[in-house]
Amino acid sequence: SSDLKILTCTAPSKNGSLQVNKRADKMSKVFALLVALVACPLGQAEMRNIDPPRKADRVESRIIVRYAEPDGTGPSLQERVQRLHSIPGVVRAEALPRLDMAVVVCDSEEGEAALLDLVEQQEGVELALPDTWVQVDDTVAGPEPDKATRLCSANPACSALGLQGICCPAADGVRLECCEDEAVDDSGSYEHGMSTISLKSFHGGHVIAHGFGNVGLHFGPSHRHMQFYVVPHADGHVSLKSQHGTYLVASPSGRVVTWHRAHADADDWEKFKLVYNKDGTVSLRSKSTDKYVAAEHPAWGVLSANRDEIDDWEKFNITFSPGADERVPDDESFGKLWGMSHFGGRDIDAPEAWKTFTGESSEGLIVAVIDTGIDYTHPDLKDQMWVNPNEIPGNGIDDDGNGFIDDIHGADFANNDGDPMDDQMHGTHCSGTIAGRGNNSAGVTGVAWQGVRLMALKFLSATGGGRTSDAIKAVDYAVAMGAKLSSNSWGGGGSSSAMRVAIERAERAGMLFVAAAGNEGSDNDELPHYPSNYPSANIISVAATTYKGELSSFSCYGQDTVDVAAPGSDIYSTVPGGKYDSLSGTSMACPHVSGLAALIWLYRPHLSMMQVKEIIMDSTVKEKALQGSSLTNGRINARRALELAAQYVAPTPPVHFPQGLSFVDVDPKVGRIGGDAIITTADDESDVEYYSLHFISLAGFLMDSVASVNATGAKTLTLTLTNLTIPQFVKGLAVVAANASAKAGGASAAAVDIDDYGVPESGPGAVSWGGDTDGRPGYVAGAIRVKRSTNEHTVSHYNIYWKDGAERGELIGKIPSAQFLSPSCEGDCLLLNRSESDGIYHFHRNAYSNDEFAVISFSGPATVKITSFMTEKYYDFLEVAGEQISGTDVDMPKVVQVPAGPQTITWSSDRSETEGGWTFELQQRGEVAEFNLPAMKPPSMEVEVLAAYGKTELQQPAVGQLSDFDIATMPPSAAFAPSRVQFVDVDVSEHLISGTLEILPSGQKTDGVVTFYTATLTDAEGDKVGSASWKVDVPSDGASVIRVPIAQTQVPAGAASISVRAGNAVGEGQTATSIELVDVVRSPPQDANFSGDVDPKQNQLQGIVTIIPAENPKGI
């Protein structure tokens, strides 16, 4: 809402310190930058670099601007963004059309606070806030979580049933019920699978359970009584169950035996704590005796639970044997994936789930990994990558029109291109856990190792840092391109209304948003972490656990704000370059949950998003060590999740669908729509309760729901839309049938493309004729030249028509818009001297004062030529297309080539010293567009040109006159005038010129049309002065350059140019091509001196030559 109190920090400064915006009126406290959730393994405190990085990191100071809801009468979002370019300190601005927001790039961190104030004063601005910066950081150890209880009201499953009190596991171990005991029940055990372990002692013998109750050491061949089932308990202990069905017991005497006892579940005498030693061995500590188990001397052959310390006899080597209820892939590093499968029982039971389903025979599922990108060439990931079906690889074209060229596997929002290659490692590591290719005899295995298609959405750069605004774009892209869920192992800054809105839109589109809980080791209920703390129902917030089943020391927790826990410490997975490595963090826990969500959805594709979330939460394994850490107090379990998913009744959306949809936009603002959407309803509405209207993406996926209407039995229903902004990636509207159970899918939608009705706000300038190139009488051919609108923001193209008197004739053709913008100034513009001649804009400011500021906005490409410049160095400056120019020692003339796109030139002076000022010229390219008219008999000799947006024209035409050239009776037309002439005076005497005149022909075929060229001296009006004239015949060899020697010639008064005309037997053409006449004159300096030699070596000089130039140097 507009009264949000949001506190953010800018990016770290160059010296590493944190620059904080202190704005007392908007902010009451400062959140430190939150880490993006990668924790290094123990003993590896430094982030490892991947060399060489693909792209340089961009550290910019940026602001997110939110506008009030448009009312249809004010300026459009694009117009507002264009105005932002004129604000002092704005380098560039970019629209976020789905949000009625914009992102502004500041020229410096220091000026951000002042810029915030200026932006907030703009018309329609509701809120302006610094763009949050998030980045990867190391693990930070934190306090243990509070052992608080959780209320039914905080648990979706319990609250949905109207239960009161405290949530506890029900008898089935899966669902929840309410009880009065606040503590997690730690007496019960979890069912064990069919996998077993054997324990080899220091002496070489294996622990064996005999049928008569004795437990000893076996030194012979392998025997099945050496195999024990591991039964984990919620209190963190385990029991070892023999093949006889008995438990190992630490008896009161200290001996370890197996007894047939009168209870099914193990008690404290039968529980042991697994102690993991640094040498890879495991020790057992009895819960009842609090002593370690030792394998006594081989001669005794017994086990005793009576040792206070661990020595060799108390150590055992564990051998794990998978059971028949598991499907274990053959990947060579699967044994390192403790989070998938571990003998200690604190894993997610992935092999047990894979015995049921691995994703085979599924329809496939797109998972968006919003991170640092993915190494899509990695052997374990390359076959798992999403491929954009509407993009042709490597052709350099945006085939699907979504704004990204060659976005084959996703997009890079940090660098604004279509290549999301990971130049860090974080995103690739997360991806391997989600969907690393399984059973390929190499590397690792993902939770969902068949059927997933990984969409790489990079918004974090090579340093692990990124912007909230880029994350928003990634979420929008994911929804538009069909991702069912996104994995988000990142966080930072404070709450962002823009990010929250983006996640809510994703929720309405049915996308699950899995988010890491954070690495500060703090309580998210007290210190919120974003995005995991947003209240959106589609978020699953994930804490991290260790292989011991405990909450990882770095992991954030939250009884009300964290949903589940998953393995996150020392996780082995893919990294760029075809390699593998271990990382720790809630970043590593998050992809375990993302992979499980994908596996469930592949298994039951018709389940709703909320059903998948409920299954994940309701199937967790409760742990006493996790009590108070999350809503569920548990760790995810894949086997339980698939068992529970099999019991769920999938939603039953309507099977009868709307028959049609029509919509005509009547809103004249470009980029907005309004009008009536008319739905042709289903023939049979027996299962339809209402119809839901959505935007539909370029890729054909349903996006935001914009309106709905109840089914009434009528043949048609009308929804009136008002002043809606067309989001990015949208191509049209679609309507689906819906009922209380679910909405029908996009495949059943009736859709219509949006034809944005918009009226151009300005029309073309002058229309001219480039001359007839067809020498036949009655025929014309040549270039129709159109001066573009001064601002083409609302122009898509120009329509060219024949004109016959008052009547408009047939359409001749179209000229596309180039988004051209003529120079315009905002700020202290009245202080600048401005003029324009022959398409060159001149700007001058001399003897300036303090505190001047002006911004000139225009479009490139262009050339800026600075001809004089004197300012106070560093403090007073011109900034041209990002290049800052300051001081009194700038080499003149200084030429800056400005690239295409929206550009600015900024003038700024501070409050101290002043200097002589500056002068520059600005020459844009592309101001005049050409339409090549093919040879034809014209219906008239007049054309008119109208600006258009889509199908709508601005009825303010510009008119041009054509002329017919007859080669037999006329001199060459304007089309045959030289394209360019060049001349450099080599005579250094004043009022005398000599040199070589170079003439470049027009490029048209001149055979028989042009036989000679004539050059004369002309004044500023183009009229001939003096008697000098040079004539040269067109050579027969068709030379590309014709050279005319000019002997020493007196320059008459008023001569300003050399002009060249084409001619033939009939005479000289009327159109001349000219070049400025520069009379180069030797101008000796007034004085010069040498400081003296300061080099002590013989035959070698060093010193300073000082030159006092001529008082009025000319031509140099």
Side-chain angles (χ1 to χ4, degrees):
S1 62
S2 60
D3 62 347
L4 284 173
K5 300 279 194 297
I6 303 178
L7 194 70
T8 60
C9 299
T10 64
S13 65
K14 293 180 180 178
N15 63 9
S17 64
L18 190 66
Q19 303 297 314
V20 180
N21 288 321
K22 300 177 181 178
R23 308 185 64 229
D25 59 329
K26 291 291 182 184
M27 309 175 180
S28 58
K29 57 185 282 193
V30 176
F31 290 119
L33 294 181
L34 300 183
V35 295
L37 319 177
V38 170
C40 298
L42 191 63
Q44 298 179 356
E46 294 185 358
M47 181 61 68
R48 288 150 291 185
N49 292 325
I50 303 298
D51 294 323
R54 183 176 70 88
K55 296 169 182 171
D57 187 36
R58 303 182 309 165
V59 179
E60 296 176 325
S61 186
R62 301 200 287 192
I63 293 171
I64 294 181
V65 182
R66 186 173 73 199
Y67 291 98
E69 187 72 23
D71 59 6
T73 61
S76 67
L77 179 62
Q78 290 294 341
E79 291 172 314
R80 287 170 165 171
V81 171
Q82 186 62 48
R83 292 178 183 179
L84 292 173
H85 283 101
S86 65
I87 299 177
V90 173
V91 176
R92 66 178 184 277
E94 178 184 356
L96 297 175
R98 298 189 72 186
L99 306 171
D100 275 320
M101 296 183 182
V103 179
V104 176
V105 178
C106 316
D107 61 1
S108 69
E109 296 170 12
E110 294 75 12
E112 184 178 283
L115 184 58
L116 277 167
D117 293 330
L118 290 173
V119 169
E120 287 185 333
Q121 296 170 17
Q122 294 290 299
E123 178 188 356
V125 170
E126 187 175 73
L127 191 66
L129 295 167
D131 190 1
T132 309
W133 180 266
V134 296
Q135 68 180 54
V136 172
D137 205 346
D138 294 337
T139 304
V140 180
E144 290 297 317
D146 295 332
K147 306 301 182 182
T149 60
R150 58 184 173 80
L151 298 174
C152 282
S153 58
N155 185 280
C158 284
S159 60
L161 297 173
L163 301 178
Q164 304 291 323
I166 306 300
C167 286
C168 302
D172 62 4
V174 173
R175 298 184 182 276
L176 296 173
E177 59 187 14
C178 285
C179 58
E180 296 180 358
D181 184 4
E182 294 188 352
V184 171
D185 182 8
D186 62 3
S187 61
S189 63
Y190 305 124
E191 64 275 33
H192 63 80
M194 300 177 68
S195 59
T196 59
I197 64 169
S198 62
L199 299 87
K200 185 178 181 180
S201 70
F202 170 76
H203 311 296
H206 286 79
V207 177
I208 188 168
H210 298 289
F212 48 83
N214 277 357
V215 175
L217 297 178
H218 177 70
F219 291 90
S222 177
H223 193 283
R224 73 183 188 91
H225 291 161
M226 294 162 38
Q227 302 296 319
F228 294 88
Y229 301 106
V230 178
V231 182
H233 302 285
D235 60 2
H237 291 79
V238 301
S239 294
L240 300 180
K241 189 175 183 180
S242 74
Q243 298 295 314
H244 308 291
T246 57
Y247 290 106
L248 264 63
V249 179
S251 67
S253 66
R255 288 285 297 276
V256 176
V257 296
T258 60
W259 291 348
H260 286 280
R261 309 189 69 195
H263 53 265
D265 294 328
D267 60 18
D268 287 354
W269 295 95
E270 297 154 335
K271 292 183 179 180
F272 300 88
K273 174 73 76 173
L274 295 177
V275 179
Y276 298 91
N277 302 312
K278 292 183 179 180
D279 60 3
T281 61
V282 173
S283 297
L284 304 177
R285 188 176 182 89
S286 168
K287 183 175 182 179
S288 59
T289 66
D290 199 26
K291 302 289 185 180
Y292 290 104
V293 173
E296 303 286 1
H297 192 278
W300 308 337
V302 297
L303 270 70
S304 302
N306 57 7
R307 303 301 174 91
D308 293 321
E309 297 179 353
I310 297 175
D311 207 339
D312 289 343
W313 288 14
E314 289 78 31
K315 295 181 178 180
F316 299 89
N317 285 297
I318 303 293
T319 301
F320 178 76
S321 300
D325 60 342
E326 301 180 33
R327 181 178 181 183
V328 179
D330 62 7
D331 301 281
E332 61 183 3
S333 297
F334 181 74
K336 297 181 180 181
L337 309 185
W338 74 263
M340 306 290 182
S341 179
H342 188 255
F343 65 84
R346 311 301 169 179
D347 55 88
I348 69 169
D349 283 351
E352 290 88 338
W354 295 334
K355 186 70 173 181
T356 299
F357 184 72
T358 65
E360 66 275 10
S361 303
S362 63
E363 297 178 359
L365 185 85
I366 300 173
V367 177
V369 181
I370 301 178
D371 212 287
T372 63
I374 301 176
D375 179 0
Y376 45 77
T377 66
H378 195 290
D380 251 348
L381 299 175
K382 63 181 182 180
D383 294 331
Q384 310 293 79
M385 297 303 301
W386 170 75
V387 176
N388 186 346
N390 300 313
E391 196 76 11
I392 300 172
N395 67 352
I397 298 173
D398 180 14
D399 301 288
D400 58 4
N402 67 1
F404 291 93
I405 295 172
D406 291 340
D407 52 327
I408 306 303
H409 301 302
D412 179 352
F413 301 91
N415 298 285
N416 197 33
D417 60 45
D419 184 5
M421 175 59 75
D422 189 358
D423 50 12
Q424 211 260 359
M425 75 162 67
H426 190 258
T428 301
H429 194 279
C430 294
S431 300
T433 300
I434 297 170
R437 185 68 178 173
N439 226 37
N440 63 347
S441 303
V444 298
T445 312
V447 179
W449 47 273
Q450 291 189 79
V452 164
R453 291 295 173 258
L454 296 168
M455 178 188 288
L457 300 181
K458 176 180 175 64
F459 88 100
L460 299 170
S461 67
T463 64
R467 294 286 189 177
T468 299
S469 56
D470 291 332
I472 291 169
K473 297 173 189 175
V475 172
D476 287 347
Y477 182 103
V479 173
M481 304 306 281
K484 291 282 284 184
L485 68 95
S486 64
S487 188
N488 301 271
S489 292
W490 51 275
S495 175
S496 165
S497 58
M499 188 74 242
R500 174 179 54 80
V501 170
I503 296 172
E504 289 171 353
R505 285 198 315 272
E507 177 188 349
R508 292 194 295 270
M511 189 178 83
L512 194 63
F513 190 94
V514 184
N519 284 357
E520 288 70 46
S522 54
D523 187 346
N524 286 356
D525 294 352
E526 300 295 330
L527 294 174
H529 171 273
Y530 296 99
S532 62
N533 262 57
Y534 291 121
S536 302
N538 61 328
I539 294 177
I540 301 180
S541 177
V542 187
T545 62
T546 71
Y547 61 88
K548 298 178 183 179
E550 303 163 346
L551 190 73
S552 300
S553 61
F554 52 78
S555 179
C556 289
Y557 53 92
Q559 180 177 323
D560 298 320
T561 54
V562 177
D563 295 308
V564 297
S569 290
D570 197 26
I571 302 301
Y572 192 73
S573 187
T574 49
V575 295
K579 300 177 182 179
Y580 303 85
D581 211 340
S582 294
L583 294 175
S584 296
T586 52
S587 279
M588 286 60 252
C590 175
H592 280 87
V593 178
S594 301
L596 177 55
L599 187 66
I600 295 168
W601 236 328
L602 289 165
Y603 183 49
R604 296 291 310 281
H606 297 297
L607 294 179
S608 70
M609 174 194 70
M610 288 307 300
Q611 286 180 315
V612 172
K613 178 178 178 178
E614 289 170 4
I615 289 168
I616 291 172
M617 295 182 65
D618 292 350
S619 61
T620 55
V621 172
K622 309 299 182 280
E623 295 277 3
K624 185 177 182 181
L626 299 179
Q627 185 176 358
S629 66
S630 67
L631 282 164
T632 60
N633 293 320
R635 179 184 60 254
I636 63 168
N637 187 277
R639 175 183 58 81
R640 288 183 169 202
L642 292 193
E643 290 174 352
L644 185 57
Q647 303 171 26
Y648 261 64
V649 176
T652 54
V655 296
H656 301 99
F657 311 131
Q659 300 301 298
L661 175 66
S662 64
F663 175 76
V664 177
D665 179 25
V666 296
D667 190 318
K669 288 287 186 180
V670 172
R672 295 181 186 171
I673 59 171
D676 290 340
I678 301 174
I679 304 166
T680 303
T681 58
D683 292 336
D684 182 347
E685 291 187 329
S686 58
D687 58 350
V688 180
E689 296 179 12
Y690 67 98
Y691 296 92
S692 181
L693 186 67
H694 295 252
F695 284 120
I696 189 169
S697 74
L698 291 161
F701 294 98
L702 295 181
M703 298 180 67
D704 293 14
S705 174
V706 297
S708 62
V709 60
N710 290 331
T712 63
K715 292 297 183 182
T716 62
L717 295 170
T718 300
L719 284 168
T720 300
L721 308 181
T722 304
N723 198 30
L724 289 179
T725 298
I726 303 173
Q728 188 180 11
F729 309 122
V730 162
K731 74 169 182 179
L733 294 169
V735 63
V736 293
N739 55 32
S741 178
K743 295 178 184 178
S748 66
V752 60
D753 286 349
I754 293 176
D755 186 1
D756 183 16
Y757 166 67
V759 179
E761 296 176 3
S762 60
V767 177
S768 61
W769 174 235
D772 183 12
T773 61
D774 191 307
R776 298 174 296 172
Y779 288 82
V780 294
I784 299 174
R785 294 172 178 159
V786 179
K787 188 174 182 180
R788 295 182 181 276
S789 166
T790 56
N791 186 343
E792 289 189 325
H793 165 61
T794 59
V795 177
S796 61
H797 64 280
Y798 301 92
N799 289 330
I800 306 173
Y801 295 92
W802 293 112
K803 178 177 174 59
D804 187 6
E807 299 297 322
R808 180 176 300 163
E810 293 183 358
L811 179 70
I812 303 172
K814 299 180 180 182
I815 297 175
S817 165
Q819 293 300 296
F820 181 81
L821 175 65
S822 295
S824 61
C825 182
E826 294 196 33
D828 297 326
C829 303
L830 295 177
L831 301 176
L832 309 184
N833 294 319
R834 296 180 289 169
S835 62
E836 185 267 336
S837 62
D838 297 329
I840 300 176
Y841 295 85
H842 304 270
F843 294 86
H844 176 66
R845 178 67 179 130
N846 65 340
Y848 61 85
S849 303
N850 292 329
D851 294 321
E852 295 185 5
F853 193 92
V855 177
I856 301 165
S857 300
F858 62 100
S859 62
T863 299
V864 175
K865 182 180 180 181
I866 302 173
T867 55
S868 68
F869 196 89
M870 294 186 71
T871 69
E872 182 190 11
K873 194 169 183 65
Y874 303 121
Y875 302 103
D876 305 338
F877 60 85
L878 274 177
E879 185 173 292
V880 182
E883 179 182 352
Q884 196 171 100
I885 304 163
S886 180
T888 59
D889 56 353
V890 180
D891 291 335
M892 294 292 110
K894 180 174 179 61
V895 177
V896 180
Q897 298 297 336
V898 180
Q903 303 292 345
T904 59
I905 297 175
T906 302
W907 160 239
S908 177
S909 67
D910 71 350
R911 298 184 179 181
S912 58
E913 301 177 17
T914 60
E915 265 289 356
W918 44 261
T919 302
F920 69 82
E921 300 172 353
L922 169 62
Q923 185 171 15
Q924 293 177 283
R925 295 187 290 278
E927 182 180 20
V928 176
E930 288 192 354
F931 177 83
N932 289 315
L933 183 69
M936 65 174 63
K937 283 187 175 183
S940 72
M941 298 304 289
E942 208 172 21
V943 296
E944 66 177 11
V945 180
L946 291 91
Y949 182 82
K951 298 177 181 178
T952 307
E953 297 174 332
L954 178 65
Q955 298 302 315
Q956 297 175 8
V959 178
Q961 192 74 33
L962 307 187
S963 60
D964 184 12
F965 166 55
D966 181 358
I967 189 173
T969 62
M970 296 179 180
S973 71
F976 296 96
S979 62
R980 190 168 75 248
V981 295
Q982 294 178 329
F983 175 75
V984 176
D985 179 22
V986 297
D987 189 304
V988 296
S989 300
E990 192 169 12
H991 305 307
L992 293 175
I993 61 170
S994 66
T996 301
L997 177 68
E998 295 185 345
I999 303 171
L1000 282 71
S1002 66
Q1004 303 291 339
K1005 289 185 178 182
T1006 60
D1007 297 346
V1009 179
V1010 178
T1011 58
F1012 65 88
Y1013 293 99
T1014 300
T1016 58
L1017 300 178
T1018 54
D1019 61 16
E1021 302 301 323
D1023 297 327
K1024 181 180 179 181
V1025 294
S1027 60
S1029 177
W1030 300 270
K1031 181 178 179 180
V1032 59
D1033 293 334
V1034 174
S1036 58
D1037 60 3
S1040 58
V1041 178
I1042 301 173
R1043 292 176 173 85
V1044 183
I1046 295 181
Q1048 189 180 70
T1049 302
Q1050 184 77 25
V1051 179
S1057 304
I1058 299 178
S1059 299
V1060 180
R1061 288 176 168 81
N1064 59 21
V1066 180
E1068 293 181 6
Q1070 295 298 309
T1071 304
T1073 304
S1074 302
I1075 184 172
E1076 181 185 1
L1077 177 60
V1078 178
D1079 180 12
V1080 177
V1081 179
R1082 178 178 291 125
S1083 303
Q1086 298 181 56
D1087 195 10
N1089 65 68
F1090 180 55
S1091 64
D1093 183 20
V1094 296
D1095 190 300
K1097 295 182 180 180
Q1098 191 174 8
N1099 298 324
Q1100 186 167 297
L1101 292 177
Q1102 181 178 348
I1104 298 173
V1105 175
T1106 301
I1107 301 171
I1108 301 176
E1111 192 168 333
N1112 293 296
K1114 184 176 179 182
I1116 63 170

